[in-house]
Amino acid sequence: YGMANIQFTDCSPVFVVGASRSGTTLLQLLMNAHPNITVSGELHYFDTILQLKKMVPTIESDENLKDFFAHLPRVSGFQYLPRIDDVLEKVHERLRQEDSRSYEKFYYFLLKEYALLEKPTSRFGEKTPENIRYLEQIIEIFPNAKIIHIVRDPRDVVSSMLKVSWTANDVVMNTLKWKCDMFCGIEFSLKHPSAYLEIRYEDLALKSEVQLTSVCKFLNEPYDCRMLEFHTDSRAHIKDEPWKEGTFNSVNSASIGKWKTDLSAARVHIIESVAGNLFSRFGYEKAKTSLTTRLVFPVVFISELLNYCAYKFQDRQERKKTENAKLIFGESEKLHSLFLRVVSGRHPKG
């Protein structure tokens, strides 16, 4: 959809990004517990909301603005945002009072109103994992933005992905998604090192205070020990998302290394093979692979691809059932182009 038509230089928002099931929600809630920071839930501005431009190219006129807000309830994922109706009402009122309107201003006000809903905060931001694929667009709109990329062992990421209903039940494509997202983070870090901080989920779980101190330093905010008490209020930030119930507890290491019991040796070998040298790049060690695992590798690999094909077929059927509701889902073109880059070897070094 092109680059931004307007920039906001009067703020320094923070964006928590990473592959799905990497701990982005945990980091969001930890940061939300800071008195000066509010990180909203998944707004999906870049991958979903911007698709409304196909129907409402601009929101300059009153009529277009009205049409735009009429379409917003169709955005898939909004049902998981607490008090979204209240926020949208305030954003709508703000935009009506503006002499000029744009999609970028809508996003700015959406972030700001969500922050004001929580507390009169000095810094606002959001947590949409898929935003890692749109970091250049973020920095174009918010030149002073801060990006915090949380990385997790891909074996635990994929193991966790297999347990949720909204993704494919295969390890090949789920690992490729992880790999694409990691390259997006690496590429951005090489271009904008001062705007980027990378932390590992494992370090956050095992050395919480050290990692959070590093995060606060990156944001020029004082560390506040109340961040570790996030779980006392985490239910207020989660709505109808049972896969996030782990964040109702204090920080712990229970989810580290679950792949060792959840995944077969052949599946682990596939993940490690697809992830390639990114294992050492992020400080993870590959498991020892037996001869038997190597021999069955081709058969299991093909089986995983068939699992993915079955998932895509079922997903299309489910989406057809929702055609009457005309729901707006996240776009897939960006991910497809990233797949092609990774498979062809055209990815950043470093």
Side-chain angles (χ1 to χ4, degrees), residues 37-188:
I37 305 171
T38 300
V39 181
S40 70
E42 299 177 22
L43 301 179
H44 288 282
Y45 172 77
F46 296 97
D47 63 325
T48 308
I49 293 176
L50 281 184
Q51 291 193 74
L52 291 177
K53 280 192 172 184
K54 299 171 184 177
M55 294 162 277
V56 188
T58 73
I59 56 174
E60 285 285 349
S61 70
D62 290 343
E63 183 178 354
N64 283 354
L65 185 65
K66 182 179 178 180
D67 288 344
F68 172 72
F69 274 86
H71 284 298
L72 277 176
R74 296 168 47 202
V75 171
S76 177
F78 265 27
Q79 69 270 28
Y80 301 126
L81 291 169
R83 300 180 64 182
I84 182 62
D85 293 335
D86 295 339
V87 173
L88 289 179
E89 183 178 348
K90 293 178 180 179
V91 173
H92 195 179
E93 183 59 32
R94 280 207 178 206
L95 284 170
R96 277 193 302 221
Q97 296 173 9
E98 289 288 306
D99 293 330
S100 63
R101 303 157 182 160
S102 67
Y103 273 77
E104 292 85 2
K105 279 191 177 181
F106 164 78
Y107 188 37
Y108 173 78
F109 288 140
L110 186 61
L111 292 169
K112 205 161 190 176
E113 287 298 333
Y114 245 116
L116 291 173
L117 187 70
E118 297 290 334
K119 51 183 175 278
T121 180
S122 62
R123 171 174 268 119
F124 57 79
E126 74 144 315
K127 187 279 294 190
T128 297
E130 288 81 0
N131 276 352
I132 196 168
R133 303 166 195 166
Y134 303 91
L135 296 180
E136 289 295 340
Q137 288 91 326
I138 288 175
I139 212 73
E140 181 70 18
I141 299 174
F142 302 103
N144 299 319
K146 295 292 187 179
I147 308 298
I148 303 178
H149 177 197
I150 183 167
V151 177
R152 187 184 182 188
D153 188 321
R155 294 163 297 194
D156 274 329
V157 168
V158 174
S159 174
S160 184
M161 293 285 279
L162 298 179
K163 298 173 185 175
V164 297
S165 60
W166 38 264
T167 189
N169 186 32
D170 83 287
V171 302
V172 176
M173 298 306 292
N174 279 317
T175 307
L176 269 176
K177 287 180 182 178
W178 177 89
K179 191 172 185 177
C180 288
D181 290 342
M182 295 308 100
F183 279 133
C184 287
I186 293 171
E187 189 168 53
F188 181 83

Side-chain angles (χ1 to χ4, degrees), residues 7 27 53 88 105 107 154 179 186 196 209 236 238 240 256 270 283 295 306 316 326 346:
Q7 291 183 328
L27 184 54
K53 280 192 172 184
L88 289 179
K105 279 191 177 181
Y107 188 37
K179 191 172 185 177
I186 293 171
Y196 177 90
E209 188 169 341
I238 307 295
D240 299 330
I256 298 177
I270 290 174
L295 289 174
L306 292 175
R316 287 197 181 95
K326 297 182 179 179
R346 293 182 292 112

Side-chain angles (χ1 to χ4, degrees), residues 17 94 140 150 154 157 229 235 298 304 318 323 331 348:
V17 300
R94 280 207 178 206
E140 181 70 18
I150 183 167
V157 168
E229 301 299 319
R235 292 178 185 273
E304 294 295 321
E318 291 297 323
E323 281 184 357
E331 62 96 6

Side-chain angles (χ1 to χ4, degrees), residues 188-304:
F188 181 83
S189 71
L190 296 175
K191 295 179 181 178
H192 310 278
S194 63
Y196 177 90
L197 177 67
E198 184 179 286
I199 65 173
R200 299 198 321 168
Y201 171 83
E202 294 79 9
D203 296 331
L204 182 63
L206 296 170
K207 304 173 184 177
S208 305
E209 188 169 341
V210 173
Q211 291 302 306
L212 291 175
T213 300
S214 175
V215 167
C216 290
K217 183 179 180 180
F218 173 66
L219 298 176
N220 292 318
E221 298 282 356
Y223 169 72
D224 195 299
C225 61
R226 286 173 289 183
M227 298 173 76
L228 293 174
E229 301 299 319
F230 75 97
H231 57 285
T232 62
D233 188 44
S234 58
R235 292 178 185 273
H237 304 280
I238 307 295
K239 178 186 175 186
D240 299 330
E241 296 177 284
W243 51 88
K244 294 182 179 180
E245 289 181 356
T247 59
F248 297 164
N249 305 312
S250 59
V251 181
N252 60 78
S253 59
S255 295
I256 298 177
K258 292 194 74 174
W259 61 269
K260 295 175 183 178
T261 54
D262 291 349
L263 297 175
S264 67
R267 278 184 147 184
V268 170
H269 187 49
I270 290 174
I271 295 170
E272 294 176 347
S273 300
V274 174
N277 61 7
L278 287 184
F279 259 85
S280 58
R281 163 64 175 77
F282 294 115
Y284 300 113
E285 293 184 6
K286 294 183 179 181
K288 293 183 179 179
T289 306
S290 67
L291 177 60
T292 301
T293 298
R294 293 180 184 276
L295 289 174
V296 301
F297 174 86
V299 175
V300 178
F301 189 91
I302 293 172
S303 175
E304 294 295 321

